């Protein structure tokens, strides 16, 4: 196939994969998501058209269409609201979320937000002055820029109700916001929703949380939960294996404009026959079945297909099971030790201590449990230093928790940090490889003592 024609197909297929329509054709199998879409649409319309204050949690497994459902409902609104999008993976603290809200409001309203309006100003605190705005910091290095204090949330969030357009706040990875200390952001948002009254002064506000964690509501503090409506809209995976194959076939057979090439019909037939041959290959079907059995998230299969399409060349213009297998291997495998080779000595000791705790029948642990095991090992071995290059055991534990190697399994509470329960996200075999590469004989012996 000529390079120019191959590029046309690659561009068209990649467009399909970038914005896929994963809705199944069978109404009976999509009834759950159809009901969820109608409920979400009614909630957003109530905020936009009747100035209501609404909140809900959109709950469903990965790949069930939660984010796409929200965007679809927003695209069909007759009135364009102000949409604030926050993500728990990016706005890791309430202060980062506070700055992001200020930036997005500036982009959509063209005005800054100040906490201290001038005397005689309207109840809206929007102004064009950006120099003294505490919510905006335009430093080149965001990691060192000054963030507004969390206390400003109580000044910023009520301002949302005074704007001249409805507000839609979308909290992606909602469960991560629930893990923030004191949950100040959620408290202020839900309190604003509860205080919203349909009037000429308020245009309405809706807070939509998106998550795949089923116990998210139990993570909310009592004062936050009392202001949350408790409305949960559930979604479900939208296709079975047969529909998955049908979607893959639709992705790989794009419609090429006739005016691009005069003989495009002939090439379409050649490409369609190559796609059918590709999908009838038993190795191809096995890879698709394996992926579908692990996760029903179509995004996983789309990433595999994207890698397969990108490797097409004029000397190898058609899809094959070999390229699909190579692409699947890249998507499924990951670095076994991540950045563990750069861990300090105390950090490696804590990882070994977590292995001992796990093999004793306790999958979760806290700092005190690991410290007791570490202290016993230090007493038994004079070659195990407590501090190396200024790194203490307490700092090492905090570093592992920050790196998500130790993951919290408890909801936020007022309990002391040393008693918060964690679990280790790294497998024992990976820890064993890291210890072996460290060339620490005493650590190898300690790890081998674990049953």
């Amino acid at each position: 196939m000529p390079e120019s024609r191959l590029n046309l197909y690659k561009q068209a297929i990649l467009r399909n994969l970038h914005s896929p329509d994963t809705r199944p054709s069978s109404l009976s199998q999509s009834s759950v998501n159809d009901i969820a879409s109608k409920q979400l649409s009614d909630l957003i319309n109530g905020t936009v058209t009747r100035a209501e204050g609404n909140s809900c949690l959109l709950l469903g497994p990965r790949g069930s269409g939660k984010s796409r459902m929200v965007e679809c409902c927003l695209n069909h609104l007759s009135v364009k609201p102000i949409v604030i999008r926050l993500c728990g993976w990016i706005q890791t603290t309430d202060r980062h979320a506070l700055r992001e809200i200020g930036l997005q409001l500036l982009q959509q309203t063209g005005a800054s937000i100040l906490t201290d309006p001038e005397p005689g100003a309207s109840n809206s605190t929007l102004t064009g002055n950006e120099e003294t705005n505490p919510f905006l910091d335009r430093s080149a290095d965001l990691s060192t820029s000054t963030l507004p204090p969390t206390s400003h949330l109580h000044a910023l969030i009520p301002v949302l109700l005074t704007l001249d357009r409805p507000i839609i706040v979308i909290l992606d990875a909602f469960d991560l916001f629930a893990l923030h200390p004191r949950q100040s952001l959620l408290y202020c948002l839900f309190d604003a929703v509860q205080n919203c009254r349909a009037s000429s002064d308020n245009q309405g506000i809706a807070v939509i949380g998106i998550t795949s964690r089923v116990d998210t509501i139990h993570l909310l503090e009592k004062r936050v939960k009392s202001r949350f409506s408790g409305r949960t809209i559930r979604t479900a995976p939208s296709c079975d294996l047969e529909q998955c194959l049908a979607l893959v076939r639709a992705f790989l057979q794009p419609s090429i404009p006739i005016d691009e090439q005069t003989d495009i019909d002939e090439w379409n037939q050649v490409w369609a026959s190559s796609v059918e041959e590709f999908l009838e290959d038993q190795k191809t079907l096995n890879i698709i079945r394996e992926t579908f059995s692990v996760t029903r998230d179509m995004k996983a299969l789309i990433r595999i297909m994207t890698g397969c399409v990108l490797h097409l060349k004029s000397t190898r213009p058609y899809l094959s099971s070999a390229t699909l297998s190579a692409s699947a291997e890249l998507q499924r495998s990951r670095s076994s030790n991540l950045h563990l080779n750069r861990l300090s000595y105390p950090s490696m000791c804590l990882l070994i201590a977590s292995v001992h705790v796990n093999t004793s029948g306790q999958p979760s642990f806290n700092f005190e449990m690991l410290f007791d095991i570490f202290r016993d090992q230090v007493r038994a071995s004079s070659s195990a230093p407590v501090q190396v290059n200024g790194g203490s055991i307490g700092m090492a534990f905090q570093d592992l928790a920050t790196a998500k190697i130790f993951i919290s399994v408890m909801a936020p509470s007022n309990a002391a940090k040393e008693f918060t329960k964690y679990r280790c996200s790294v497998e024992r075999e990976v820890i064993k490889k890291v210890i072996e590469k460290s060339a620490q004989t005493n650590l190898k012996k300690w790890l081998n003592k674990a049953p």
Side-chain angles (χ1 to χ4, degrees), residues 80 83 103 211 237-238 257 265 275 314 349 396 410 417 425 442 448:
K80 184 178 180 181
V83 182
L103 288 172
T211 183
S238 56
D265 287 337
V275 169
S314 57
C349 290
M410 290 178 57
K417 291 184 178 180
S425 62
N442 57 325
N448 293 332

Side-chain angles (χ1 to χ4, degrees), residues 285-304:
L285 294 177
N286 289 338
I287 295 173
I288 295 177
R289 288 193 185 99
E290 289 173 1
T291 304
F292 190 81
S293 65
V294 173
T295 175
R296 293 195 177 187
D297 186 357
M298 281 298 298
K299 293 180 181 179
L301 190 57
I302 287 173
R303 288 193 294 268
I304 294 175

Side-chain angles (χ1 to χ4, degrees), residues 100-313:
E100 184 63 23
I101 293 173
L103 288 172
Q104 292 190 26
L105 286 177
L106 173 64
Q107 294 172 352
Q108 299 185 59
T109 63
S112 303
I113 296 179
L114 296 174
T115 55
D116 298 321
E118 297 179 358
S122 62
N123 60 348
S124 175
T125 56
L126 294 180
T127 177
N129 183 10
E130 300 181 17
E131 296 181 357
T132 58
N133 188 353
F135 302 110
L136 301 179
D137 189 344
R138 301 186 175 281
S139 302
D141 187 2
L142 292 178
S143 62
T144 60
S145 60
T146 303
L147 293 171
T150 307
S151 58
H152 282 23
L153 278 167
H154 299 279
L156 172 63
I157 300 303
V159 173
L160 300 179
L161 298 178
T162 66
L163 301 180
D164 56 357
R165 288 159 58 191
I167 299 290
I168 308 294
V169 182
I170 301 172
L171 302 176
D172 200 2
F174 180 84
D175 53 296
L176 297 183
F177 286 103
L179 297 178
H180 290 185
R182 295 182 57 81
Q183 301 180 358
S184 299
L185 175 66
L186 299 181
Y187 174 82
C188 292
L189 286 173
F190 290 147
D191 189 62
V193 169
Q194 195 176 62
N195 294 332
C196 181
R197 298 291 182 268
S199 65
S200 58
D201 296 332
N202 295 336
Q203 298 300 320
I205 180 172
V207 179
I208 302 172
I210 303 175
T211 183
S212 57
R213 183 167 175 173
V214 295
D215 62 338
T216 299
I217 292 183
H218 299 295
L219 300 177
L220 299 179
E221 293 183 359
K222 186 176 181 180
R223 66 189 184 113
V224 178
K225 190 181 299 184
S226 65
R227 286 161 173 77
F228 177 51
S229 66
R231 185 186 291 111
T232 301
I233 301 175
R234 298 181 180 274
T235 61
S238 56
C239 66
D240 55 20
L241 182 58
E242 293 300 324
Q243 290 174 334
C244 176
L245 291 172
L247 288 172
V248 171
R249 181 176 285 103
F251 295 155
L252 299 180
Q253 293 183 350
S255 57
I256 306 297
I258 297 298
D259 55 356
E260 295 286 351
Q261 295 287 341
T262 56
D263 57 347
I264 197 65
D265 287 337
E266 179 182 352
W267 286 107
N268 277 341
Q269 294 177 2
V270 174
W271 179 262
S273 62
S274 69
V275 169
E276 290 299 328
E277 183 179 353
F278 169 71
L279 293 177
E280 290 175 359
D281 190 335
Q282 192 60 41
K283 294 182 180 179
T284 300
L285 294 177
N286 289 338
I287 295 173
I288 295 177
R289 288 193 185 99
E290 289 173 1
T291 304
F292 190 81
S293 65
V294 173
T295 175
R296 293 195 177 187
D297 186 357
M298 281 298 298
K299 293 180 181 179
L301 190 57
I302 287 173
R303 288 193 294 268
I304 294 175
M305 289 296 173
T306 300
C308 189
V309 172
L310 288 175
H311 282 83
L312 294 179
K313 302 177 181 179

